[in-house]
Amino acid sequence: MKKSLIIMAHPSSKGFSRNIAERYANAFSGESEILDLYDPEWQQPFLTFEDMSKYPADDVREKIQEKIQLASEIVFIFPLWWGYMPAILKNFIDQNFTAGFAFQYKNGRPVGLLSEKTARIFITCDGPKWIYRLLLSPFFTLLKIITLRFCGIRTTSARLYDQKRKRNPEELEKWLRDAERLAEE
């Protein structure tokens, strides 16, 4: 059975990111779960260590990695802040996509250990899409190729919903239907 793990990285439990997550989860043709990074149950301290080979144990990491392992797809939903993902999502990646779990090196080359998984990305922003496409092309490359593909995860779709605050309810509903359509694929 297909299983979707939806990673939501927005502090508002009533905002548009939540709407995307819920509509996607409800339309998904298999089992889905929303993991809200701002929920105290899933919050992780910023990564610290003195010796990378002695990575500190973390109960939350173990639970999250189990969820990632069981998922066939991982969906990331977040706003674009200062040209990048929120710090809580970057910390989530740092904490959970660890060596030995998400990747390993063989003969000096990285091997993705999550190659059975796909990803979808939904990003909201307030600026116009053309600016982000022009200036943020490296960001998408970093996220889709350097981060996800490095771990073996293939990105199947990426959406940038721009000028969100200027959109009328009909336009926002169109985006939510787009998320539902992708969930049904």
Side-chain angles (χ1 to χ4, degrees), residues 79-86 125 132 136 139:
L80 197 63
W81 289 341
W82 296 104
Y84 203 63
M85 67 181 72
C125 62
Y132 294 115
L136 293 181
F139 166 73

Side-chain angles (χ1 to χ4, degrees), residues 116-180:
E116 301 295 317
K117 303 186 185 319
T118 60
R120 293 191 189 276
I121 303 166
F122 294 92
I123 303 171
T124 61
C125 62
D126 285 327
K129 189 178 282 189
W130 69 268
I131 288 177
Y132 294 115
R133 284 200 173 145
L134 178 68
L135 300 176
L136 293 181
S137 180
F139 166 73
F140 284 109
T141 300
L142 286 171
L143 182 57
K144 289 168 38 178
I145 297 172
I146 305 299
T147 302
L148 297 175
R149 195 69 191 144
F150 185 86
C151 298
I153 302 169
R154 183 177 53 85
T155 302
T156 57
S157 65
R159 295 289 194 267
L160 177 65
Y161 299 138
D162 69 330
Q163 297 183 317
K164 192 200 88 34
R165 290 185 199 193
K166 293 182 180 180
R167 302 296 177 165
N168 62 47
E170 292 79 23
E171 291 171 305
L172 296 175
E173 180 61 30
K174 181 179 176 185
W175 286 345
L176 293 171
R177 284 194 310 271
D178 178 52
E180 287 175 327

Side-chain angles (χ1 to χ4, degrees), residues 97-110:
F97 286 68
T98 57
F101 171 75
F103 67 93
Q104 67 183 4
Y105 286 96
K106 286 189 178 177
N107 300 323
R109 293 201 164 127

Side-chain angles (χ1 to χ4, degrees), residues 3-181:
K3 192 168 187 175
S4 181
L5 180 61
I6 302 165
I7 310 299
M8 194 185 77
H10 195 288
S12 173
S13 63
K14 298 176 178 110
F16 192 67
S17 292
R18 170 64 69 176
N19 292 342
I20 295 169
E22 289 175 353
R23 293 282 286 268
Y24 190 94
N26 291 334
F28 188 69
S29 58
E31 185 180 329
S32 64
E33 178 180 3
I34 298 172
L35 198 149
D36 181 348
L37 298 184
Y38 285 89
D39 182 328
E41 179 181 3
W42 303 114
Q43 287 187 356
Q44 296 172 287
F46 283 102
L47 180 64
T48 59
F49 58 82
E50 297 302 324
D51 181 349
M52 193 171 210
S53 67
K54 296 177 184 149
Y55 215 62
D58 180 340
D59 292 338
V60 175
R61 179 184 311 117
E62 288 178 22
K63 291 176 190 173
I64 289 173
Q65 287 181 340
E66 182 178 335
K67 290 178 180 301
I68 292 169
Q69 199 65 264
L70 294 172
S72 51
E73 79 166 3
I74 304 167
V75 178
F76 296 92
I77 302 172
F78 59 93
L80 197 63
W81 289 341
W82 296 104
Y84 203 63
M85 67 181 72
I88 199 166
L89 180 56
K90 176 63 170 85
N91 188 59
F92 171 85
I93 292 167
D94 290 345
Q95 284 276 17
N96 301 295
F97 286 68
T98 57
F101 171 75
F103 67 93
Q104 67 183 4
Y105 286 96
K106 286 189 178 177
N107 300 323
R109 293 201 164 127
V111 176
L113 300 177
L114 302 175
S115 60
E116 301 295 317
K117 303 186 185 319
T118 60
R120 293 191 189 276
I121 303 166
F122 294 92
I123 303 171
T124 61
C125 62
D126 285 327
K129 189 178 282 189
W130 69 268
I131 288 177
Y132 294 115
R133 284 200 173 145
L134 178 68
L135 300 176
L136 293 181
S137 180
F139 166 73
F140 284 109
T141 300
L142 286 171
L143 182 57
K144 289 168 38 178
I145 297 172
I146 305 299
T147 302
L148 297 175
R149 195 69 191 144
F150 185 86
C151 298
I153 302 169
R154 183 177 53 85
T155 302
T156 57
S157 65
R159 295 289 194 267
L160 177 65
Y161 299 138
D162 69 330
Q163 297 183 317
K164 192 200 88 34
R165 290 185 199 193
K166 293 182 180 180
R167 302 296 177 165
N168 62 47
E170 292 79 23
E171 291 171 305
L172 296 175
E173 180 61 30
K174 181 179 176 185
W175 286 345
L176 293 171
R177 284 194 310 271
D178 178 52
E180 287 175 327
R181 184 187 58 75

